[in-house]
């Protein structure tokens, strides 16, 4: 599948407007994805109302999608937001291909499948999008950011999380996948493997001194960008803050400084 450059912030031409992005803060806004991990559509709309002055991307994951269904996506798209549908499909190739087609029809711009579903499943998912006018970018989830070495071993893998991420990424690249989700701890080695064409979407982001929750392999927003992240996914540090907009602004400011330092 061709790389949708419009979704790759490593290329200026991928940005939604033709001109170079106006300033590092605007670039930061285009690279922050807020995880709407809330229990229903009303809570999602309330959160988006609060955050939309600053945020451009929202992630709809299992909690919200299972409660509210696909209908939750349409009003967000209609308001001009970019939606990342994070349902992490993992099933037989035919079933995943059908689910990917259904998801693409919702107007989302990114979506996830599990790399551990194997090359046949990844290839079927890619093929399902062929010929669509503006297909979402398929992201292969490597190893969940909540998995540390002990968790990885318990599910029968005798590798480190880093080795497993690399193995899955190379497998994905082999069947044409160009977008990956990994923890901040692997982003640098994955960037080396994918080059600038790779779209690396990184959860497990915690501002310095923040609560880690169930996340194990974490980094600050600035560190993750420095290491090569294309997009950062942030949930609880924003959505559970006393003032979510303030929390988002603080993260965006840190991201903008890191972007400026890279220029
Ligand atoms: O609240 P927090 O910032 O930890 O949220 C991270 C989000 O990223 C969650 O919605 C989670 O499902 C998602 N995610 C993750 N690790 C992955 C893939 C997605 O934490 N490997």
């Amino acid at each position: 599948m061709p790389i949708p450059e419009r979704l790759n912030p490593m290329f200026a031409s991928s940005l939604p407007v033709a001109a170079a992005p106006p300033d590092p803060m605007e670039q930061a806004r285009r690279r922050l994805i807020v995880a709407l991990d809330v229990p229903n559509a009303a809570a999602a709309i309330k959160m988006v109302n609060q955050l939309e002055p600053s945020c451009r991307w929202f992630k709809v994951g299992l909690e919200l999608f299972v409660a509210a269904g696909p209908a939750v996506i349409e009003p967000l798209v209609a308001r001009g937001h970019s939606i990342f549908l994070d349902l992490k499909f993992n099933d037989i190739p035919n079933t995943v291909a059908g689910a990917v087609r259904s998801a693409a029809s919702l107007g989302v711009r990114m979506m996830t499948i599990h790399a551990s579903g194997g090359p046949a499943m990844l290839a079927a998912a890619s093929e399902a999008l062929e010929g669509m006018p503006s297909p979402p970018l398929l992201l292969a989830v490597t190893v969940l950011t909540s998995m540390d070495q002990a968790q990885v071993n318990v599910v029968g893998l005798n590798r480190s999380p880093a080795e497993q991420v690399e193995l899955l990424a190379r497998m994905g690249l082999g069947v044409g996948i160009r977008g990956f989700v990994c923890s901040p701890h692997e982003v640098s080695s994955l960037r080396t493997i994918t080059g600038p064409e790779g779209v690396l979407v990184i959860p497990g982001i915690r501002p310095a001194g923040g609560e880690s929750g169930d996340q194990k392999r974490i980094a600050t927003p600035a560190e993750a960008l420095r290491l090569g992240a294309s997009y950062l996914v942030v949930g609880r540090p924003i959505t559970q803050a006393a003032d979510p907009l303030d929390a988002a602004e603080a993260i965006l400011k840190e991201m903008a400084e890191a972007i400026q330092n890279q220029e």
Side-chain angles (χ1 to χ4, degrees):
M1 207 176 107
I3 307 152
E5 280 203 7
R6 68 198 159 85
L7 289 175
N8 192 337
M10 299 314 184
F11 292 106
S13 62
S14 69
L15 293 162
V17 288
D23 60 48
M25 191 62 170
E26 182 55 25
Q27 290 187 57
R29 292 187 204 289
R30 294 172 186 185
R31 295 171 68 178
L32 174 65
I33 304 173
V34 179
L36 288 176
D37 292 328
V38 293
N40 53 52
I45 295 294
K46 189 172 166 216
M47 187 57 64
V48 170
N49 285 342
Q50 285 178 273
L51 293 174
E52 66 188 352
S54 292
C55 301
R56 308 270 186 273
W57 276 92
F58 294 97
K59 181 170 89 70
V60 173
L62 286 167
E63 180 182 3
L64 179 58
F65 194 84
V66 170
V72 75
I73 290 169
E74 198 269 327
L76 303 180
V77 171
R79 284 157 80 156
H81 300 306
S82 295
I83 302 302
F84 167 16
L85 184 63
D86 184 21
L87 301 180
K88 301 187 182 69
F89 297 144
N90 194 352
D91 208 316
I92 60 170
N94 184 59
T95 300
V96 167
V100 163
R101 266 191 297 273
S102 298
S105 72
L106 300 174
V108 301
R109 296 187 69 201
M110 290 186 196
M111 58 178 299
T112 43
I113 52 182
H114 266 292
S116 57
M121 190 197 89
L122 296 182
S126 267
E127 281 160 24
L129 295 176
E130 271 169 20
M132 287 193 185
S134 288
L137 175 66
L138 270 185
L139 300 171
V141 176
T142 55
V143 177
L144 294 171
T145 37
S146 55
M147 304 278 283
D148 57 12
Q149 182 71 62
Q151 297 274 318
V152 165
N153 291 152
V154 161
V155 297
L157 299 169
N158 293 321
R159 294 186 194 87
S160 67
E163 288 166 338
Q164 182 68 4
V165 167
E166 185 171 336
L167 179 140
L168 291 171
R170 288 192 189 281
M171 183 199 73
L173 285 167
V175 292
I177 299 287
R178 293 291 177 271
F180 296 94
V181 183
C182 69
S183 95
H185 292 201
E186 295 88 37
V187 62
S188 158
S189 57
L190 219 54
R191 178 57 72 201
T192 308
I193 296 171
T194 67
E197 296 83 22
V199 175
L200 305 182
V201 178
I202 313 300
I205 303 299
R206 292 293 179 267
E211 292 283 323
S212 60
D214 56 352
Q215 298 284 26
K216 301 274 170 47
R217 302 183 347 269
I218 59 177
T220 66
E223 278 164 356
L225 289 177
R226 230 182 353 258
L227 292 166
S230 311
Y231 293 87
L232 306 185
V233 176
V234 183
R236 288 162 288 182
I238 293 175
T239 56
Q240 292 186 6
D243 184 332
L245 184 61
D246 258 11
E249 280 291 338
I251 288 171
L252 286 164
K253 194 162 166 281
E254 181 178 337
M255 290 173 68
E257 280 165 12
I259 289 167
Q260 194 156 32
N261 290 339
Q262 281 174 338
E263 283 176 352

